[in-house]
Amino acid sequence: MTSKIIEEIERLKEEKDAVILAHYYVTDWVQEIADYVGDSYYLAKVAAGLDKKTIVFAGVSFMGESAKILNPDKTVLMPDMQADCPMAHMADVERIEQVRKKYDDVAVVCYINSVAELKVHSDVCVTSSNAMKIVKSLPNKNIFFIPDENLGRYIASKLPEKNFIFNDGFCHVHKGITAENLKAAKEEHPGAEVLAHPECTSAALEYADYIGSTAGIIDYATKSDSKEFIVATELGVLYELELNNPGKKFYSAGSTQTCPNMKKVTLEKVRDCLRDNTGVVEVSDDTRAAALKPLSRMLELAK
């Protein structure tokens, strides 16, 4: 059954002149059939330079929105329109305006994990891969970091010369990985290195041997001489980690490390959206033009 669906997807890709982008957190089968698999930054770069007519984005809604903003003349399809990221909504325009009034010299730095409306009211977008580089390069002393507080606090800890204003958003998967989880995991696997995503809390990051984006975690584990790792991020990343490192062992951090929204994306839904042209992402011209500015600035500053 699975092989038949994969054959259908390959045929439909040819018919529709389509390309499939998948985030590391979707299911293994979807990662396997995707043309490009990566974290938010990598996929944003890929989306900006594609020559296919149709983009299927196997991920959550903000990713499809960003792909449409960067590719207004292409058809962008989401296999499941209900696959959303709660954190992407955890900031509001009114608070942004209040901060702008309070601080003359402020840059609103918006994590790409956000809805288009928040990007519209921001100065630059960032991902966990490039946030450090971009924030450090900004001339502004005051940084309002939205929507994720934990990533903002991690960047702030490395850039004491900046004054950060934090927002109270969070990723429930990463916030759920506690310091207690990691302490217990280290006791169970004393020889393992802890690889953590900066969306984890500051207390959890104290146990990390490496802190970085999903792509950074994969790269570190692949290059490391260590043979055992505790993975403090969404466990969809295990597909790529194990594919690249057959002789190494990877353990969970001992918590529920699954994003239910990412797991809504299935092979059947990828096939169906291609076949039926469903899950079409729409962004108004005004929103697209305004949100394109911080996204384009991100791609320029991250070079």
Side-chain angles (χ1 to χ4, degrees):
M1 181 64 174
T2 299
S3 60
K4 183 181 177 182
I5 294 172
I6 292 172
E7 288 175 10
E8 286 184 77
I9 289 171
E10 292 301 323
R11 176 178 58 79
L12 288 163
K13 277 171 55 183
E14 290 296 319
E15 288 180 11
K16 303 292 180 75
D17 190 30
V19 62
I20 300 173
L21 310 185
H23 193 274
Y24 287 126
Y25 296 165
V26 299
T27 59
D28 293 0
W29 279 113
V30 176
Q31 290 189 55
E32 187 169 322
I33 58 96
D35 298 291
Y36 299 92
V37 180
D39 61 4
S40 298
Y41 176 50
Y42 172 75
L43 294 174
K45 287 197 298 181
V46 169
L50 292 172
D51 59 359
K52 297 290 187 178
K53 292 180 182 177
T54 302
I55 299 171
V56 176
F57 214 120
V60 290
S61 54
F62 76 80
M63 298 176 179
E65 270 189 340
S66 294
K68 183 62 177 177
I69 290 164
L70 292 165
N71 297 274
D73 299 325
K74 301 183 191 301
T75 299
V76 178
L77 304 176
M78 296 292 294
D80 191 319
M81 292 294 276
Q82 303 307 309
D84 197 5
C85 170
M87 183 176 68
H89 304 268
M90 291 184 187
D92 62 77
V93 175
E94 183 179 353
R95 175 88 197 284
I96 292 172
E97 295 309 313
Q98 288 173 351
V99 170
R100 286 196 186 279
K101 288 178 182 177
K102 184 174 180 179
Y103 299 91
D104 292 334
D105 176 40
V106 66
V108 178
V109 176
C110 186
Y111 194 17
I112 199 169
N113 299 34
S114 56
V115 295
E117 183 186 19
L118 294 178
K119 293 180 174 74
V120 166
H121 294 272
S122 301
D123 297 302
V124 65
C125 288
V126 297
T127 71
S128 52
S129 293
N130 61 36
M132 192 77 69
K133 179 179 181 180
I134 288 176
V135 175
K136 187 174 183 178
S137 73
L138 295 175
N140 314 73
K141 179 177 176 58
N142 297 307
I143 306 294
F144 182 32
F145 197 98
I146 62 170
D148 184 45
E149 179 179 0
N150 291 320
L151 177 58
R153 288 193 180 279
Y154 174 69
I155 300 301
S157 72
K158 303 296 183 182
L159 299 174
E161 69 273 19
K162 303 282 188 180
N163 176 50
F164 276 72
I165 303 102
F166 300 107
N167 186 63
D168 59 1
F170 61 91
C171 166
H172 68 90
V173 174
H174 290 103
K175 188 176 181 180
I177 301 170
T178 66
E180 290 75 18
N181 292 147
L182 291 175
K183 183 174 183 289
K186 285 282 283 185
E187 289 171 354
E188 186 175 353
H189 307 287
E193 288 191 278
V194 175
L195 312 179
H197 195 286
E199 287 179 23
C200 294
T201 65
S202 299
L205 293 179
E206 291 291 326
Y207 287 88
D209 297 289
Y210 172 80
I211 300 168
S213 67
T214 315
I217 286 171
I218 294 168
D219 186 58
Y220 180 89
T222 302
K223 292 177 179 176
S224 175
D225 292 331
S226 296
K227 298 299 181 183
E228 295 181 282
F229 303 90
I230 295 162
V231 180
T233 187
E234 214 276 354
L235 292 180
V237 74
L238 289 179
Y239 174 77
E240 192 80 10
L241 281 169
E242 292 170 347
L243 189 68
N244 293 349
N245 302 279
K248 299 179 180 180
K249 293 183 179 180
F250 298 94
Y251 311 109
S252 80
S255 63
T256 304
Q257 293 167 240
T258 300
C259 173
N261 281 287
M262 287 286 193
K263 299 305 188 268
K264 288 178 181 177
V265 182
T266 64
L267 282 179
E268 290 85 352
K269 290 175 182 178
V270 171
R271 176 200 61 194
D272 293 351
C273 78
L274 272 169
R275 182 189 63 201
D276 305 329
N277 205 47
T278 52
V280 179
V281 178
E282 302 286 0
V283 179
S284 71
D285 290 343
D286 288 347
T287 297
R288 191 199 74 81
L292 180 61
K293 293 176 182 177
L295 279 170
S296 296
R297 192 178 183 197
M298 175 188 77
L299 294 171
E300 180 62 32
L301 291 175
K303 286 181 180 177

